[in-house]
Short mmCIF file of all heavy atoms in Angstrom, two decimals:
data_model
loop_
_atom_site.label_atom_id
_atom_site.label_comp_id
_atom_site.label_asym_id
_atom_site.label_seq_id
_atom_site.Cartn_x
_atom_site.Cartn_y
_atom_site.Cartn_z
N ASP B 248 130.37 87.66 172.54
CA ASP B 248 130.84 88.90 173.21
C ASP B 248 131.43 88.60 174.57
O ASP B 248 130.93 87.79 175.35
CB ASP B 248 129.61 89.81 173.44
CG ASP B 248 129.02 90.39 172.23
OD1 ASP B 248 129.80 90.77 171.33
OD2 ASP B 248 127.85 90.46 172.12
N GLN B 250 131.44 90.26 177.30
CA GLN B 250 130.55 90.53 178.42
C GLN B 250 129.51 89.43 178.63
O GLN B 250 129.12 89.15 179.73
CB GLN B 250 129.84 91.87 178.26
CG GLN B 250 130.74 93.06 178.56
CD GLN B 250 129.97 94.34 178.41
OE1 GLN B 250 129.75 94.73 177.27
NE2 GLN B 250 129.69 94.94 179.52
N PHE B 251 129.16 88.87 177.47
CA PHE B 251 128.19 87.74 177.53
C PHE B 251 128.89 86.50 177.99
O PHE B 251 128.29 85.78 178.79
CB PHE B 251 127.62 87.61 176.14
CG PHE B 251 126.49 86.63 175.92
CD1 PHE B 251 125.41 86.65 176.85
CD2 PHE B 251 126.48 85.73 174.87
CE1 PHE B 251 124.37 85.70 176.69
CE2 PHE B 251 125.42 84.89 174.72
CZ PHE B 251 124.40 84.84 175.60
N TRP B 254 129.03 86.19 181.76
CA TRP B 254 127.79 85.83 182.30
C TRP B 254 127.65 84.30 182.10
O TRP B 254 127.25 83.57 183.09
CB TRP B 254 126.64 86.59 181.74
CG TRP B 254 125.36 86.45 182.49
CD1 TRP B 254 125.17 86.31 183.83
CD2 TRP B 254 124.08 86.21 181.91
NE1 TRP B 254 123.87 86.16 184.09
CE2 TRP B 254 123.19 86.12 182.96
CE3 TRP B 254 123.64 86.20 180.54
CZ2 TRP B 254 121.78 85.89 182.68
CZ3 TRP B 254 122.23 86.02 180.37
CH2 TRP B 254 121.36 85.84 181.43
N THR B 257 128.86 81.73 184.49
CA THR B 257 128.28 81.57 185.82
C THR B 257 127.05 80.68 185.74
O THR B 257 126.44 80.46 186.80
CB THR B 257 127.84 82.91 186.43
OG1 THR B 257 126.73 83.48 185.65
CG2 THR B 257 129.01 83.99 186.34
N LEU B 258 126.59 80.21 184.58
CA LEU B 258 125.28 79.56 184.43
C LEU B 258 125.50 78.08 184.13
O LEU B 258 126.45 77.62 183.58
CB LEU B 258 124.58 80.19 183.36
CG LEU B 258 124.22 81.71 183.51
CD1 LEU B 258 123.61 82.27 182.23
CD2 LEU B 258 123.33 81.93 184.71
N VAL B 312 119.47 77.06 184.12
CA VAL B 312 118.99 76.88 185.50
C VAL B 312 118.93 78.34 186.12
O VAL B 312 119.80 79.18 185.96
CB VAL B 312 120.01 76.05 186.32
CG1 VAL B 312 119.64 75.91 187.78
CG2 VAL B 312 120.23 74.72 185.69
N GLY B 313 117.74 78.55 186.76
CA GLY B 313 117.56 79.85 187.53
C GLY B 313 117.03 80.95 186.69
O GLY B 313 116.77 82.01 187.27
N LEU B 314 116.93 80.81 185.43
CA LEU B 314 116.35 81.88 184.61
C LEU B 314 114.83 81.63 184.34
O LEU B 314 114.39 80.53 184.01
CB LEU B 314 117.12 82.01 183.29
CG LEU B 314 118.58 82.39 183.35
CD1 LEU B 314 119.08 82.93 181.99
CD2 LEU B 314 118.88 83.42 184.41
N GLU B 315 114.08 82.71 184.34
CA GLU B 315 112.69 82.69 183.95
C GLU B 315 112.48 81.99 182.58
O GLU B 315 113.41 82.22 181.70
CB GLU B 315 112.13 84.11 183.97
CG GLU B 315 110.67 84.29 183.90
CD GLU B 315 110.21 84.43 182.43
OE1 GLU B 315 111.09 84.89 181.65
OE2 GLU B 315 109.08 84.12 182.12
N ARG B 317 110.93 82.32 179.82
CA ARG B 317 111.15 83.12 178.52
C ARG B 317 112.53 83.63 178.29
O ARG B 317 113.11 83.69 177.20
CB ARG B 317 110.12 84.22 178.41
CG ARG B 317 108.77 83.80 178.14
CD ARG B 317 107.79 85.01 177.96
NE ARG B 317 107.78 85.69 179.25
CZ ARG B 317 106.83 85.56 180.21
NH1 ARG B 317 105.87 84.65 180.09
NH2 ARG B 317 106.93 86.22 181.34
N LEU B 318 113.21 84.06 179.41
CA LEU B 318 114.57 84.54 179.29
C LEU B 318 115.48 83.40 178.94
O LEU B 318 116.36 83.55 178.09
CB LEU B 318 115.01 85.17 180.67
CG LEU B 318 116.46 85.62 180.74
CD1 LEU B 318 116.68 86.72 179.65
CD2 LEU B 318 116.72 86.20 182.11
N SER B 321 115.06 82.64 175.39
CA SER B 321 115.68 83.71 174.56
C SER B 321 117.20 83.54 174.45
O SER B 321 117.80 83.67 173.39
CB SER B 321 115.29 85.04 175.22
OG SER B 321 115.51 86.14 174.32
N TYR B 325 119.36 82.25 171.09
CA TYR B 325 120.47 83.10 170.62
C TYR B 325 121.62 82.20 170.39
O TYR B 325 122.39 82.30 169.38
CB TYR B 325 120.81 84.25 171.53
CG TYR B 325 122.00 85.03 171.05
CD1 TYR B 325 121.86 85.94 170.01
CD2 TYR B 325 123.24 84.84 171.56
CE1 TYR B 325 122.95 86.63 169.54
CE2 TYR B 325 124.32 85.53 171.13
CZ TYR B 325 124.19 86.37 170.09
OH TYR B 325 125.32 87.07 169.54
N ASP B 328 121.30 79.64 167.55
CA ASP B 328 121.42 80.45 166.31
C ASP B 328 122.93 80.78 166.06
O ASP B 328 123.37 80.64 164.89
CB ASP B 328 120.55 81.63 166.34
CG ASP B 328 120.56 82.45 165.02
OD1 ASP B 328 120.25 81.76 164.00
OD2 ASP B 328 120.94 83.59 164.98
N ARG B 332 125.27 79.84 162.75
CA ARG B 332 125.88 80.90 161.90
C ARG B 332 127.37 80.76 161.78
O ARG B 332 127.97 81.39 160.93
CB ARG B 332 125.59 82.27 162.52
CG ARG B 332 124.12 82.72 162.39
CD ARG B 332 123.92 83.95 163.17
NE ARG B 332 122.53 84.43 163.04
CZ ARG B 332 122.04 85.19 162.11
NH1 ARG B 332 122.82 85.67 161.13
NH2 ARG B 332 120.74 85.53 162.05
N ASP D 248 115.13 87.76 187.26
CA ASP D 248 115.92 86.69 187.95
C ASP D 248 117.11 87.36 188.57
O ASP D 248 117.79 88.14 187.92
CB ASP D 248 116.29 85.69 186.91
CG ASP D 248 115.20 84.84 186.40
OD1 ASP D 248 114.35 84.45 187.21
OD2 ASP D 248 115.12 84.57 185.23
N GLN D 250 120.04 86.13 188.85
CA GLN D 250 121.31 85.88 188.12
C GLN D 250 121.35 86.83 186.95
O GLN D 250 122.36 87.28 186.45
CB GLN D 250 121.38 84.44 187.61
CG GLN D 250 121.80 83.52 188.73
CD GLN D 250 121.91 82.12 188.14
OE1 GLN D 250 120.87 81.49 187.93
NE2 GLN D 250 123.11 81.61 188.01
N PHE D 251 120.19 87.19 186.41
CA PHE D 251 120.08 88.12 185.34
C PHE D 251 120.35 89.54 185.76
O PHE D 251 121.04 90.31 185.13
CB PHE D 251 118.66 88.00 184.71
CG PHE D 251 118.43 88.74 183.39
CD1 PHE D 251 119.35 88.72 182.41
CD2 PHE D 251 117.24 89.39 183.24
CE1 PHE D 251 119.11 89.47 181.19
CE2 PHE D 251 116.97 90.06 182.02
CZ PHE D 251 117.93 90.14 181.08
N TRP D 254 123.97 90.39 186.03
CA TRP D 254 124.59 90.73 184.74
C TRP D 254 124.14 92.11 184.29
O TRP D 254 124.95 92.89 183.84
CB TRP D 254 124.16 89.66 183.69
CG TRP D 254 124.87 89.85 182.48
CD1 TRP D 254 126.23 90.09 182.28
CD2 TRP D 254 124.41 89.70 181.09
NE1 TRP D 254 126.48 90.16 180.90
CE2 TRP D 254 125.44 89.97 180.18
CE3 TRP D 254 123.06 89.48 180.61
CZ2 TRP D 254 125.27 89.79 178.81
CZ3 TRP D 254 122.94 89.39 179.17
CH2 TRP D 254 123.93 89.61 178.38
N THR D 257 125.97 95.17 185.26
CA THR D 257 127.31 95.51 184.66
C THR D 257 127.19 96.17 183.30
O THR D 257 128.17 96.44 182.65
CB THR D 257 128.13 94.14 184.49
OG1 THR D 257 127.47 93.35 183.42
CG2 THR D 257 128.19 93.34 185.77
N LEU D 258 126.01 96.38 182.81
CA LEU D 258 125.78 96.77 181.43
C LEU D 258 125.29 98.24 181.29
O LEU D 258 124.61 98.73 182.18
CB LEU D 258 124.81 95.83 180.71
CG LEU D 258 125.24 94.41 180.59
CD1 LEU D 258 124.14 93.57 180.00
CD2 LEU D 258 126.51 94.23 179.75
N VAL D 312 125.33 98.28 175.12
CA VAL D 312 126.74 98.58 174.78
C VAL D 312 127.58 97.36 174.91
O VAL D 312 127.55 96.61 175.89
CB VAL D 312 127.35 99.68 175.63
CG1 VAL D 312 128.78 99.98 175.22
CG2 VAL D 312 126.47 100.96 175.60
N GLY D 313 128.31 97.01 173.77
CA GLY D 313 129.20 95.88 173.85
C GLY D 313 128.70 94.54 173.52
O GLY D 313 129.36 93.53 173.41
N LEU D 314 127.34 94.50 173.25
CA LEU D 314 126.74 93.19 172.90
C LEU D 314 126.50 93.14 171.33
O LEU D 314 126.13 94.14 170.76
CB LEU D 314 125.42 92.94 173.63
CG LEU D 314 125.50 92.81 175.11
CD1 LEU D 314 124.20 92.24 175.64
CD2 LEU D 314 126.65 92.01 175.59
N GLU D 315 126.70 92.01 170.74
CA GLU D 315 126.39 91.83 169.33
C GLU D 315 124.99 92.17 169.11
O GLU D 315 124.07 91.96 169.93
CB GLU D 315 126.66 90.31 169.04
CG GLU D 315 126.70 89.99 167.59
CD GLU D 315 125.32 89.44 167.19
OE1 GLU D 315 124.56 88.98 167.98
OE2 GLU D 315 125.01 89.57 165.97
N ARG D 317 122.37 91.14 167.56
CA ARG D 317 121.15 90.26 167.73
C ARG D 317 121.03 89.90 169.22
O ARG D 317 119.88 89.74 169.70
CB ARG D 317 121.31 88.95 166.96
CG ARG D 317 121.00 89.14 165.47
CD ARG D 317 121.10 87.80 164.69
NE ARG D 317 122.51 87.29 164.79
CZ ARG D 317 123.44 87.51 163.95
NH1 ARG D 317 123.22 88.20 162.86
NH2 ARG D 317 124.64 86.97 164.09
N LEU D 318 122.10 89.82 169.93
CA LEU D 318 122.05 89.49 171.41
C LEU D 318 121.36 90.69 172.11
O LEU D 318 120.54 90.58 172.93
CB LEU D 318 123.42 89.19 171.90
CG LEU D 318 123.50 88.87 173.45
CD1 LEU D 318 122.60 87.75 173.82
CD2 LEU D 318 124.89 88.65 173.92
N SER D 321 117.83 90.71 171.46
CA SER D 321 117.15 89.69 172.25
C SER D 321 116.92 90.06 173.74
O SER D 321 115.89 89.89 174.26
CB SER D 321 118.01 88.48 172.07
OG SER D 321 117.34 87.31 172.45
N TYR D 325 113.32 91.10 175.58
CA TYR D 325 112.92 90.46 176.76
C TYR D 325 112.52 91.41 177.81
O TYR D 325 111.44 91.28 178.55
CB TYR D 325 113.97 89.46 177.29
CG TYR D 325 113.55 88.79 178.60
CD1 TYR D 325 112.67 87.72 178.58
CD2 TYR D 325 114.05 89.28 179.76
CE1 TYR D 325 112.21 87.20 179.74
CE2 TYR D 325 113.62 88.70 181.00
CZ TYR D 325 112.66 87.66 181.00
OH TYR D 325 112.27 87.09 182.15
N ASP D 328 109.31 93.42 177.05
CA ASP D 328 108.20 92.51 177.21
C ASP D 328 107.97 92.35 178.73
O ASP D 328 106.77 92.31 179.14
CB ASP D 328 108.47 91.14 176.57
CG ASP D 328 107.28 90.22 176.65
OD1 ASP D 328 106.23 90.64 176.14
OD2 ASP D 328 107.43 89.07 177.18
N ARG D 332 104.46 93.09 180.90
CA ARG D 332 103.80 91.93 181.58
C ARG D 332 103.53 92.32 183.07
O ARG D 332 102.73 91.70 183.72
CB ARG D 332 104.58 90.69 181.51
CG ARG D 332 104.59 90.05 180.18
CD ARG D 332 105.52 88.85 180.09
NE ARG D 332 105.58 88.24 178.84
CZ ARG D 332 104.76 87.20 178.41
NH1 ARG D 332 103.87 86.75 179.22
NH2 ARG D 332 104.83 86.73 177.24
#
Side-chain angles (χ1 to χ4, degrees):
Chain B
D248 291 317
Q250 285 182 285
F251 186 45
W254 188 44
T257 69
L258 300 174
V312 182
L314 297 196
E315 189 266 337
R317 285 182 299 267
L318 177 60
S321 196
Y325 177 79
D328 185 55
R332 288 174 183 271
Chain D
D248 291 316
Q250 284 182 287
F251 186 43
W254 187 44
T257 69
L258 299 175
V312 181
L314 297 195
E315 190 265 337
R317 284 182 300 267
L318 177 59
S321 196
Y325 177 78
D328 184 56
R332 288 174 181 272

